Amino acid sequence: MTIILSTTIIFSLLGYFFSKQIRKYALYVYAFFALIALIIGSQNANIISLGYVPFGIFLLVMYMGILDKGKFKNQLLGVRGEFAIIGTILLIPHAVGYLGYYFDFVGFWTGTASFYIGIVAVLVLAPLSLTSFRKVKSKLGYKKWKKTHYFSYLFYVLIGLHLTLMHNDRFWFYIIIFGFYIVLKSYMLIKTYRIKKIKNKN
Amino acid sequence: MKTKVIIILFIILLGISILKEPLVDTIDVFSGATNDTYSSLVDTTTGASHSHESDDDDSEVDD
C-alpha cells in the first residue's frame, strides 16, 4: 500500500504544480510513460507490472471528482484525462503480463474471479481512455463524452472487486479506500439532488 | 472539508502501511523482487517460494 499511496500523493503534487505543463506537453508525457511501460513492464514482477503504480494513479483520478471546489480540485481536474491515459499506459504491462501468464501456465478458463473481473475492467477502461484524448473528446462532443464517461463508475466498481477479491494483506485498505469513496460520493450526490430540488421549487 | 478529510485519510493509511510493510520489502520490489509484502497472484497460483523458504528446498537433501 506504501507504493500505491505514495504514487497517489506524488501525482497529486505533480498535477497541482505542473497542471499547465502536463497539458501542454501531454504527448511527450505519454511517450515518456510508454517508454517506461515498455522497458520496466517487460521485466520481471515490479511496481508497474504488479499494478501498484497504475492503481495509485487511478485512485487519484477517482478521488478527484469528490474533492471540494477550489484551486486544488481545479488544477487536478485539468489533468484528469491525462492522468487517466498515463494510468492506462502503465496498466498495459500489468494486463498483458497476467493475461500471458494465465494463458501459458494456469489456463484461461481456470482463473480466479478477480482475474476475470480484471479483464472486464480493462475492456471497460479502453474506450474511457481513448475518449480521454483531447482531440477525440472534442470530436465526440460533450454530451456523448459525458455519457461514455459514466462508465468510469463501473470501472471503479470493477477495480474495487478485482482488488478486494484477491483477499491479500491489503484487503482492509481497499475496503476503507473504496468504502470511503462510496460514502463521500453518495453524500455529494444527495447534496446535489437536494439543491436541484430546492431550485426547482423556487 | 471533504478534501481535508481525504488528505488526512490518505496520510493515516500511508502511515499505517509504512509501519505494516517493511521498508526493505518496498525497496526490494522497486528492483523487481517479490516478497511477503509485495507478492503477486502469480506467486500464490504457482505455489512458488513460501515465506522465508527457497524454491529449491524440496529437491535438496540435507547433509
Side-chain angles (χ1 to χ4, degrees), chain B residues 1-58:
Chain B
M1 179 69 182
K2 270 184 287 159
T3 306
K4 279 179 189 169
V5 173
I6 291 166
I7 290 170
I8 290 167
L9 172 82
F10 273 59
I11 289 169
I12 290 171
L13 287 178
L14 182 65
I16 295 169
S17 61
I18 287 170
L19 291 173
K20 230 182 142 197
E21 297 170 350
L23 196 65
V24 179
D25 285 0
T26 307
I27 295 165
D28 271 356
V29 79
F30 268 94
S31 59
T34 51
N35 45 54
D36 288 350
T37 310
Y38 300 103
S39 59
S40 57
L41 183 66
V42 174
D43 281 344
T44 50
T45 315
T46 55
S49 56
H50 298 285
S51 310
H52 315 297
E53 285 176 16
S54 163
D55 292 347
D56 304 326
D57 284 352
D58 295 340

Side-chain angles (χ1 to χ4, degrees), chain A residues 83-149:
Chain A
F83 279 2
I85 293 166
I86 293 168
T88 308
I89 290 169
L90 295 179
L91 193 74
I92 293 170
H94 175 66
V96 171
Y98 273 84
L99 203 63
Y101 174 78
Y102 270 83
F103 265 121
D104 291 345
F105 300 105
V106 183
F108 185 78
W109 303 110
T110 51
T112 58
S114 172
F115 168 68
Y116 296 117
I117 291 169
I119 292 173
V120 179
V122 171
L123 293 175
V124 172
L125 178 68
L128 293 174
S129 300
L130 208 70
T131 51
S132 289
F133 284 95
R134 289 189 185 274
K135 276 191 179 175
V136 180
K137 187 180 172 180
S138 58
K139 273 189 182 176
L140 202 67
Y142 182 73
K143 272 190 177 177
K144 271 189 181 176
W145 178 87
K146 186 87 179 166
K147 267 188 181 176
T148 312
H149 277 253

Side-chain angles (χ1 to χ4, degrees), chain A:
Chain A
M1 212 58 206
T2 312
I3 294 168
I4 295 168
L5 293 172
S6 303
T7 305
T8 308
I9 292 167
I10 290 167
F11 270 81
S12 59
L13 292 173
L14 283 173
Y16 182 73
F17 290 109
F18 302 104
S19 190
K20 259 189 186 177
Q21 289 84 346
I22 292 169
R23 272 203 308 272
K24 194 176 176 186
Y25 302 106
L27 287 177
Y28 295 105
V29 175
Y30 301 151
F32 172 72
F33 280 102
L35 199 67
I36 287 180
L38 207 69
I39 295 167
I40 300 177
S42 60
Q43 293 171 3
N44 285 336
N46 54 58
I47 55 169
I48 291 174
S49 63
L50 288 173
Y52 302 136
V53 173
F55 175 56
I57 299 168
F58 284 121
L59 198 61
L60 176 64
V61 172
M62 187 172 100
Y63 264 87
M64 267 181 206
I66 54 169
L67 295 173
D68 290 318
K69 281 178 186 172
K71 196 186 173 188
F72 187 59
K73 185 176 184 172
N74 288 343
Q75 291 286 92
L76 291 180
L77 282 182
V79 286
R80 197 181 201 183
E82 283 78 3
F83 279 2
I85 293 166
I86 293 168
T88 308
I89 290 169
L90 295 179
L91 193 74
I92 293 170
H94 175 66
V96 171
Y98 273 84
L99 203 63
Y101 174 78
Y102 270 83
F103 265 121
D104 291 345
F105 300 105
V106 183
F108 185 78
W109 303 110
T110 51
T112 58
S114 172
F115 168 68
Y116 296 117
I117 291 169
I119 292 173
V120 179
V122 171
L123 293 175
V124 172
L125 178 68
L128 293 174
S129 300
L130 208 70
T131 51
S132 289
F133 284 95
R134 289 189 185 274
K135 276 191 179 175
V136 180
K137 187 180 172 180
S138 58
K139 273 189 182 176
L140 202 67
Y142 182 73
K143 272 190 177 177
K144 271 189 181 176
W145 178 87
K146 186 87 179 166
K147 267 188 181 176
T148 312
H149 277 253
Y150 275 127
F151 281 96
S152 55
Y153 296 110
L154 175 63
F155 174 69
Y156 301 152
V157 170
L158 290 168
I159 286 292
L161 287 172
H162 172 67
L163 295 169
T164 48
L165 285 174
M166 280 180 195
H167 282 289
N168 60 16
D169 292 346
R170 286 177 280 276
F171 176 80
W172 286 108
F173 277 106
Y174 297 139
I175 291 287
I176 292 169
I177 281 175
F178 285 96
F180 206 74
Y181 175 80
I182 291 167
V183 169
L184 286 182
K185 185 72 191 177
S186 306
Y187 168 75
M188 210 174 137
L189 288 173
I190 292 166
K191 206 176 163 186
T192 315
Y193 174 75
R194 278 184 181 170
I195 291 168
K196 267 188 183 175
K197 212 176 169 185
I198 293 166
K199 273 186 183 175
N200 285 341
K201 270 187 180 178
N202 294 334

